[in-house]
Amino acid sequence: MHAMRMSKIALLLCLGLVLAAAPAGAQITTTEPAQLSGFGGWTVDPLFTVGEADGSYLPVGILDGTGAIALDANTVRIFVNHELSDGVGYQYSLANGTVLDGARVSYFDFDRTSRSLLGYAPGYDTIFDREGNIVTSATQLNEGIGPDPTVNGIDRLCSAWMGLAGQYGLVDDLFFTGEETSSGLGGQEFVLDARNNVLYTVPALGRAAWEAVTMIDHPDPNKIAVVVGDDRGGAPLLLFVGTKDFFGSGDALDRNGLATGQGTLYVWVADSGETTPEEWNGTFTSRTGSFQPVPHYDPAMAGMAG
């Protein structure tokens, strides 16, 4: 990729992104100075600064995870999440009128030829909760926990990972991002269907203080494998293996092997018997081990304390 294009996108990600639909062919450029200096022939041209708005959408700050897709032959769309706590940030509305605050995802569109910023907007207009129902109340996301459960939405979306259709067994372009929180019941992982503006809660992956996930190739083309990074001290390395089209429901989670009620969660276990990173961490240290299955889904326990 051209150095100038890379430098523009890199700086844009440093400053922050979030969009409101701009007229076709429009270009958005910040008046704020660059925060970085080019080197080795690279140049820096900032395109957006947090706090600016174009049209009806104001992108908020605390930008964290990013992911990009080729939206069409002329446009690159970059998704960015905002690591806001629940109860923070101005309130926004879903397509059905549900009002939420807290963390969210935005997208920014760029012209591939001119490398100009065309516009930005919310990354989704519909959310499905843990039960697979469309969110019509904030409590479906916060589960009654937070400063104001009537409007508190998603809590602290942290790093993100974009998987493209055809990679690692995926059928759709999916933007993975999770709540980096250990409060309450623990953070939830979310997956954004990047082509359809729908955000799904993914309980099949369990609870964690989510830092990031990544995918690895599974030898069975009908299965997917997701490696989970939990940001809590002493947390183990997790691996989820799911089956695509397990239920044949046709929704994005089932198509991509992420549906609730199927799949297996594994935890990495060291052959040495050591159970925490503190017992063997250090430069150039290593251990052998294997992933062992752990029970994490039991419908019979639904509604019971803990």
Side-chain angles (χ1 to χ4, degrees), residues 163-267:
L164 303 180
Q167 295 180 334
Y168 307 107
L170 289 178
V171 178
D172 301 289
D173 296 331
L174 300 179
F175 181 75
F176 290 74
T177 183
E179 297 175 305
E180 190 184 12
T181 178
S182 56
S183 62
L185 299 173
Q188 306 178 98
E189 180 71 4
F190 295 89
V191 164
L192 173 61
D193 182 349
R195 298 287 175 176
N196 294 300
N197 303 322
V198 177
L199 187 70
Y200 293 87
T201 313
V202 193
L205 294 179
R207 300 270 189 172
W210 299 89
E211 178 61 33
V213 305
T214 190
M215 295 185 69
I216 56 177
D217 283 315
H218 195 288
D220 184 341
N222 296 314
K223 295 184 180 296
I224 56 96
V226 183
V227 179
V228 175
D230 190 332
D231 214 24
R232 292 173 289 192
L237 183 65
L238 301 174
L239 171 70
F240 174 79
V241 175
T243 302
K244 296 188 292 184
D245 290 317
F246 185 86
F247 297 106
S249 65
D251 67 63
L253 293 187
D254 192 31
R255 287 197 305 270
N256 293 278
L258 297 167
T260 303
Q262 60 82 42
T264 304
L265 190 68
Y266 298 84
V267 61

Side-chain angles (χ1 to χ4, degrees), residues 40-54:
W42 289 49
T43 60
V44 176
D45 183 8
L47 299 178
F48 176 81
T49 301
V50 169
E52 297 172 336
D54 178 74

Side-chain angles (χ1 to χ4, degrees), residues 9-179:
I9 293 176
L11 182 60
L12 178 61
L13 298 185
C14 292
L15 293 179
L17 326 176
V18 195
L19 319 179
Q27 297 183 7
I28 303 170
T29 302
T30 183
T31 58
E32 298 298 319
Q35 293 182 336
L36 301 176
S37 298
F39 61 93
W42 289 49
T43 60
V44 176
D45 183 8
L47 299 178
F48 176 81
T49 301
V50 169
E52 297 172 336
D54 178 74
S56 60
Y57 190 60
L58 170 67
V60 292
I62 317 185
L63 307 174
D64 202 326
T66 62
I69 61 172
L71 186 64
D72 54 42
N74 302 311
T75 312
V76 171
R77 173 164 291 182
I78 298 181
F79 293 91
V80 182
N81 61 37
H82 308 268
E83 193 177 348
L84 300 178
S85 299
D86 54 356
V88 176
Y90 69 84
Q91 296 176 2
Y92 67 100
S93 298
L94 302 178
N96 60 13
T98 304
V99 177
L100 303 170
D101 59 23
R104 60 205 71 177
V105 179
S106 302
Y107 70 75
F108 296 78
D109 284 347
F110 297 88
D111 183 270
R112 298 179 67 173
T113 302
S114 67
R115 299 183 293 276
S116 59
L117 176 57
L118 301 177
Y120 39 86
Y124 52 85
D125 55 28
T126 302
I127 305 178
F128 283 85
D129 68 8
R130 296 180 65 81
E131 304 298 327
N133 300 316
I134 291 179
V135 170
T136 58
S137 167
T139 56
Q140 293 171 254
L141 295 172
N142 61 49
E143 299 170 292
I145 300 170
D148 184 357
T150 63
V151 294
N152 292 162
I154 301 170
D155 188 21
R156 292 187 59 203
L157 291 178
C158 192
S159 184
W161 184 82
M162 173 66 80
L164 303 180
Q167 295 180 334
Y168 307 107
L170 289 178
V171 178
D172 301 289
D173 296 331
L174 300 179
F175 181 75
F176 290 74
T177 183
E179 297 175 305

